């Protein structure tokens, strides 16, 4: 009997509000507030989040809020949110209480939880008793995919915050990521509430803003921003931004130490004015190694987030700024013809805007578009946000390619639907129609239209 | 040519990537380090907190037969279940000792990560019950110089005591010593009394909370209790606290003992109702 168990089992029929049932197929996950099952409803497979009722502090208000979210739909109807779609009816459990759940879309194949990529390895119990535990490895396929994932996360939160809602429980397990492309789906949207309202969730340890840990604030847009910076830091530096020497010295993370190091006396591991919580060699090796590989504008953004922004919620970086910084970061990735891939920081800069590959000696020039710069290497993609007055960082409008008839001659191919004008090596201005290209040379100037231009920096 | 530049938005002051900043970006020596894409993607695991589960197992003569058999069988089944408990956050290790006439560490080399410790050596039973000596030995090892020497941050340990009888030595002296130990103080202590004759007062004094010293009468109950208590306390122990919404600035006193409170709540809610006390189980002490 369904009513006799806390957990659901295959074949259980959950009553829905339209009078029909969702039929449970299997358990696919578990969290602090409930478990997730794959179910069949209205001819389609869904994910059912089924609450541990006693873990929800204000169940009626929580359910009402969920109902409002279902009615509102995902922000901007974005398909990047695995948004709540249908509420179930209440079901009585052991005569003690009634609980409920909601249906959302299942994450498609090929997506993994960001938490697993952060952890690098997942240990699973052995299939046969006495055998060794099984290690599963997770990682992004490319640096581009990793930065693209960061851009997608930031974009989703910008949209959510602009419709006046906060997410409240922002942490690495709230994202499904495609490690090949960097595409991101936001899951666990059930705590989303109008900014300033909270239905009981505090957040996830390690990701909560210090003022929540201290007990003086509840989750809202500003605490989301703290958690967002925390997620981005972990994504790039593979470390906890607040766990350094000072925290390690307390040896045991008791409840009181937790309150101290993540609340009252939290201190960034790379605080430029206080090195007492710096990362420790042998424990925080990822942070030590990766921090120095990032360009200064990214480090500055993290410093701001975890110094001024740690204490003053209004000083936290807004999503639009992160979006610009991260788009810039993506355009700072150099793919040298020899195969070396890294940010421009890992290349020699003998002349200001020309970097040299330390492995093969190739010179890589820099193209400036609007206020963006990008190293020019074969395969570099120009996005609509570079060449048009749009924020679209996904649609490719140009690409650096080698001319098929003249080997060794590289150019920018127009993949947009606009006609560009450019200064060719003959010093004349020519039209560059869609699907045509312009050779790259020292004096190259491109008019993308609408007053947006590109040039080689020298 | 000049027409083309007209109306363009860049001037040198607009260039975000100015030469000064460019110079700053030349991290000394970085370009010679041969950094590549894999350096960003093939990271080490992020630093995890460590947590140790201590098992103190009574292997005295009275445990012989079904009692020690159930304990051994449960430990065999428990080890794989513990692999996934720490997740990304914590590395969970096991340290187990048995006490009878003497005290012996089953994990001789100190705490072993549970992912590497999947074969439980079945323990024999025989002899007296030197629980006091076991407390002293635990106190000795609960030290930064001994078992708690991991360089990473630790969560307080889970300490699980099992006994079916009355200690044969001065348990009080051992426990008094242990009570001075900070690892013990902050740790989550749980105890299971087995069968009809355990000294529950000793176990309650060990845990410091009456609710966390529980009696198992039969085999099924013992297995379920061990599993529930170890998994629940490991989960609670290996996570930082999610604090409650007090609406006021929290103090150390407010949060102290928060995990123990969570464990007590879980025991009250789940164990008291969940453990199967049905008649079909083997009663350890029936029919003698």
């Amino acid at each position: 009997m369904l009513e006799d168990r806390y957990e659901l089992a295959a074949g259980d029929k959950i009553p829905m509000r339209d009078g029909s049932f969702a039929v449970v197929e299997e358990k696919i996950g578990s969290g602090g507030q409930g478990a997730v099952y794959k179910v069949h409803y209205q001819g389609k497979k869904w994910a059912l989040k089924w609450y541990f009722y006693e873990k929800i502090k204000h169940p009626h208000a929580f359910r009402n809020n969920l109902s409002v979210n279902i009615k509102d739909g995902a922000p901007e109807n974005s398909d990047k949110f695995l948004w709540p779609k249908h509420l179930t009816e209440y079901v009585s459990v052991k005569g003690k209480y009634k609980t409920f759940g909601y249906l959302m879309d299942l994450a498609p194949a090929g997506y993994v939880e960001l938490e697993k990529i952060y952890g690098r390895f997942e240990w699973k119990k052995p299939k046969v008793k006495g055998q060794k535990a099984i290690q599963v490895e997770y990682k992004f396929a490319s640096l581009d995919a990793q930065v693209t994932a960061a851009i997608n996360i930031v974009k989703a939160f910008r949209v959510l915050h602009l419709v006046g809602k906060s997410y409240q429980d922002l942490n690495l397990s709230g994202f499904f990521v495609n490690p090949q492309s960097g595409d991101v789906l936001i899951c666990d949207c059930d705590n989303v509430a109008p900014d300033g309202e909270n239905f009981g969730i505090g957040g996830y340890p390690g990701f909560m803003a210090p003022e929540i840990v201290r007990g003086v604030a509840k989750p809202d847009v500003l605490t989301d921003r703290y958690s967002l910076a925390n997620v981005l830091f972990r994504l790039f530096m593979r470390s906890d931004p607040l766990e350094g020497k000072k925290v390690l010295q307390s040896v045991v993370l008791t409840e009181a130490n937790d309150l101290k190091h993540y609340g009252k006396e939290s201190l960034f591991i790379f605080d430029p004015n206080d090195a007492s919580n710096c990362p420790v060699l042998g424990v925080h090796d990822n942070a030590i190694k990766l921090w120095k590989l990032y360009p200064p504008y990214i480090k500055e953004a993290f410093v701001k987030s975890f110094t001024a922004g740690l204490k003053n919620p209004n000083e936290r970086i807004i999503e639009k700024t992160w979006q610009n910084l991260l788009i810039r970061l993506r355009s700072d990735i150099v793919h040298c013809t020899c195969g070396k891939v890294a940010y421009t920081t890992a290349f020699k800069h003998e002349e200001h805007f020309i970097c040299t590959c330390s492995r093969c000696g190739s010179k890589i020039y820099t193209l400036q578009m609007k206020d963006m710069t990008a190293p020019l290497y074969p395969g570099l993609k120009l996005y609509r946000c570079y060449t048009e007055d749009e924020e679209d960082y996904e649609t490719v409008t140009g690409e650096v390619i080698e001319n098929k008839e003249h080997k060794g001659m590289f150019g920018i191919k127009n993949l947009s639907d606009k006609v560009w004008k450019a200064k060719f090596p003959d010093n004349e201005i020519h039209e560059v129609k869609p699907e045509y290209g312009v050779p790259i040379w020292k004096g190259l100037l491109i008019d993308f239209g609408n007053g947006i231009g590109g040039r080689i920096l020298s | 040519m000049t027409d083309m530049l007209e109306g363009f938005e860049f001037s040198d002051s607009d260039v975000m990537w100015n030469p000064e900043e460019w110079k700053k970006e030349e991290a000394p020596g970085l370009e010679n380090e041969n950094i590549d894409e894999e350096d960003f993607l093939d990271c080490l695991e992020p630093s995890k907190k460590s947590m140790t589960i201590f098992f103190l197992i009574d292997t005295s003569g009275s445990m012989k037969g079904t009692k020690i058999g159930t304990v051994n069988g449960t430990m065999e089944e428990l080890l794989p279940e513990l692999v996934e408990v720490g997740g990304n956050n914590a590395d969970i290790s096991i340290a187990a000792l048995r006490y009878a006439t003497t005290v012996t560490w089953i994990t001789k080399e100190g705490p072993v990560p549970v992912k590497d410790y999947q074969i439980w050596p079945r323990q024999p039973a025989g002899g007296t019950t030197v629980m006091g000596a076991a407390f002293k030995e635990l106190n000795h090892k609960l030290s930064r110089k001994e078992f708690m020497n991991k360089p990473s941050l630790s969560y307080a340990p889970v300490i699980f005591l099992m006994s079916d009888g009355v200690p044969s030595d001065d348990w009080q002296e051992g426990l008094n010593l242990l009570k001075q130990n900070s690892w013990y103080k902050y740790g989550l202590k749980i105890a299971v009394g087995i069968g009809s004759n355990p000294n529950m007062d000793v176990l309650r004094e060990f845990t410091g909370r009456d609710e966390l010293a529980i009696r198992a009468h039969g085999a099924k109950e013992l297995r379920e209790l061990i599993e529930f208590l170890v998994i629940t306390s490991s989960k609670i122990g290996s996570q930082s606290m999610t604090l409650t919404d007090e609406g006021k600035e929290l103090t150390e006193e407010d949060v102290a003992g928060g995990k123990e409170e969570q464990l007590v709540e879980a025991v009250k809610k789940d164990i008291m109702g969940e453990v199967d006390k049905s008649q079909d189980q083997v009663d350890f002490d029936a029919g003698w």
Side-chain angles (χ1 to χ4, degrees), chain B residues 73-91:
Chain B
T74 306
M75 289 303 290
E76 288 171 335
E77 290 193 359
L78 188 61
L79 292 175
E81 297 303 319
L82 288 171
V83 170
E84 294 169 27
V85 169
N88 270 340
N89 190 44
D91 273 327

Side-chain angles (χ1 to χ4, degrees), chain A residues 148-367:
Chain A
T148 301
I151 296 172
N152 285 327
I153 288 170
V154 165
K155 185 191 176 194
F157 281 92
R158 183 174 171 213
V159 169
L160 181 70
H161 289 166
L162 285 175
V163 299
K165 292 183 178 182
S166 75
Y167 181 83
Q168 317 229 345
D169 188 19
L170 220 168
N171 69 80
L172 290 165
S173 65
F175 306 103
F176 280 108
V177 176
N178 182 322
Q180 301 297 320
S181 66
D183 193 33
V184 171
L185 299 169
I186 320 289
C187 55
D188 295 342
C189 297
D190 48 345
N191 291 299
V192 168
D195 189 29
E197 289 184 36
N198 171 265
F199 299 97
I201 189 98
Y204 196 81
F207 295 83
M208 279 186 274
E211 64 271 27
I212 300 179
V213 177
R214 284 167 47 211
V216 296
K218 292 196 179 156
D220 60 12
V221 166
L222 293 175
T223 66
D224 269 3
R225 288 208 175 115
Y226 172 83
S227 308
L228 181 62
N230 192 309
V231 162
L232 294 174
F233 186 87
R234 288 179 193 251
L235 177 58
F236 291 139
M237 309 302 166
R238 306 300 172 98
S239 296
D240 179 339
L242 302 181
E243 188 199 305
K245 197 167 123 193
K246 179 175 78 92
V247 182
L248 229 51
Q249 277 165 348
S250 59
V251 182
V252 188
L253 200 56
T254 58
E255 295 93 335
N257 283 333
D258 236 324
L259 176 65
K260 183 173 161 192
H261 298 306
Y262 291 89
K264 289 170 190 289
E265 295 170 29
S266 49
L267 183 62
F268 185 36
I269 58 172
F270 293 111
D271 189 319
N273 298 314
D274 187 345
S276 64
N277 198 30
C278 63
V280 175
L281 198 65
V283 180
H284 309 118
D285 293 1
N286 283 340
I288 293 170
K289 176 184 158 190
L290 291 166
W291 178 254
K292 64 179 183 188
L293 303 186
Y294 276 79
Y297 55 89
I298 291 295
K299 292 194 249 193
E300 279 159 21
F302 283 126
V303 167
K304 187 166 186 255
S305 300
F306 297 113
T307 57
L310 202 56
K311 307 254 169 353
N312 186 351
N314 282 304
E315 295 212 33
R316 290 172 189 157
I317 290 174
I318 63 169
E319 292 75 26
K320 170 115 192 260
T321 305
W322 273 124
Q323 193 174 309
N324 290 341
L325 290 170
L326 294 170
I327 289 170
R328 185 177 168 195
L329 183 65
R330 190 172 66 179
S331 76
D332 258 353
I333 301 170
V334 181
H335 295 246
C336 186
T337 44
C338 72
K340 174 170 169 138
V341 177
Y343 298 116
T344 50
T345 45
F347 287 77
K348 285 182 192 163
H349 302 140
E350 281 150 356
E351 295 162 76
H352 280 155
F353 293 112
I354 301 168
C355 52
T356 312
C357 178
S358 54
R359 190 183 294 167
C360 70
S362 293
K363 285 191 168 187
I364 296 147
Y365 291 86
T366 300
L367 176 70

Side-chain angles (χ1 to χ4, degrees), chain A residues 6 54 57 94 96 115-116 118-121 123-126 129-131 133 139-143 146 203 205 208 213-216 218 238 240 243 247-248 251-256 258-259 262 264 283-286 289-290 292-294 296-297 300 328 332 339-349 351-353 358-359 366 368 370-371 373 421-423 429 445-447 451 453 455, chain B residues 1 4-12 14-19 21-27 30-49 73 76-77 80-81 83-84 88-89 91 114-116 118-119 144 148 151-157 183 186 239-252 255-260 269-270 273-274:
Chain A
Y6 293 105
E54 44 203 12
K57 275 187 187 135
K94 296 196 170 199
K96 283 189 188 171
E115 192 184 12
K116 290 183 177 160
Y118 172 70
R120 280 289 281 129
F121 304 103
W123 290 97
K124 298 183 91 107
K125 66 179 173 189
K129 197 177 79 179
Q131 280 187 352
K139 65 177 192 175
F140 278 107
S142 66
L143 188 54
Q146 178 172 304
M208 279 186 274
V213 177
R214 284 167 47 211
V216 296
K218 292 196 179 156
R238 306 300 172 98
D240 179 339
E243 188 199 305
V247 182
L248 229 51
V251 182
V252 188
L253 200 56
T254 58
E255 295 93 335
D258 236 324
L259 176 65
Y262 291 89
K264 289 170 190 289
V283 180
H284 309 118
D285 293 1
N286 283 340
K289 176 184 158 190
L290 291 166
K292 64 179 183 188
L293 303 186
Y294 276 79
Y297 55 89
E300 279 159 21
R328 185 177 168 195
D332 258 353
K340 174 170 169 138
V341 177
Y343 298 116
T344 50
T345 45
F347 287 77
K348 285 182 192 163
H349 302 140
E351 295 162 76
H352 280 155
F353 293 112
S358 54
R359 190 183 294 167
T366 300
Q368 185 193 3
K370 297 207 294 196
D371 56 358
T373 54
K421 284 182 199 158
K423 190 179 168 190
I429 308 291
L445 287 168
I446 306 179
D447 177 359
R455 63 172 176 178
Chain B
M1 164 68 220
M4 195 178 157
L5 281 172
E6 217 166 83
F8 278 10
E9 283 171 2
F10 32 61
S11 67
D12 279 346
D14 287 338
V15 180
M16 271 174 81
W17 198 349
N18 66 49
E21 197 177 331
W22 184 277
K23 274 184 214 150
K24 250 193 335 192
E25 294 192 12
E26 287 182 65
L30 201 58
E31 71 271 17
N32 296 322
E33 274 193 29
N34 213 7
I35 306 300
D36 206 349
E37 193 166 25
E38 296 309 304
D39 288 293
F40 298 94
L41 309 171
D42 273 346
C43 304
L44 298 166
E45 283 182 279
S47 118
K48 289 185 181 179
K49 282 114 189 155
E76 288 171 335
E77 290 193 359
E81 297 303 319
V83 170
E84 294 169 27
N88 270 340
N89 190 44
D91 273 327
V114 70
K115 63 179 193 300
D116 301 328
Q118 289 297 311
I119 295 176
R144 199 79 175 130
M148 314 312 277
S152 58
L153 197 62
S154 295
Y155 286 117
W183 296 94
Y186 291 115
Q239 278 204 353
S240 294
M241 283 285 293
T242 313
L243 301 157
T244 49
D245 52 340
E246 298 284 326
K248 66 166 180 81
E249 180 89 40
L250 295 166
T251 64
E252 284 191 15
V255 298
K259 287 186 179 184
E260 187 179 86
K269 259 184 199 139
D270 295 325
E274 284 295 280

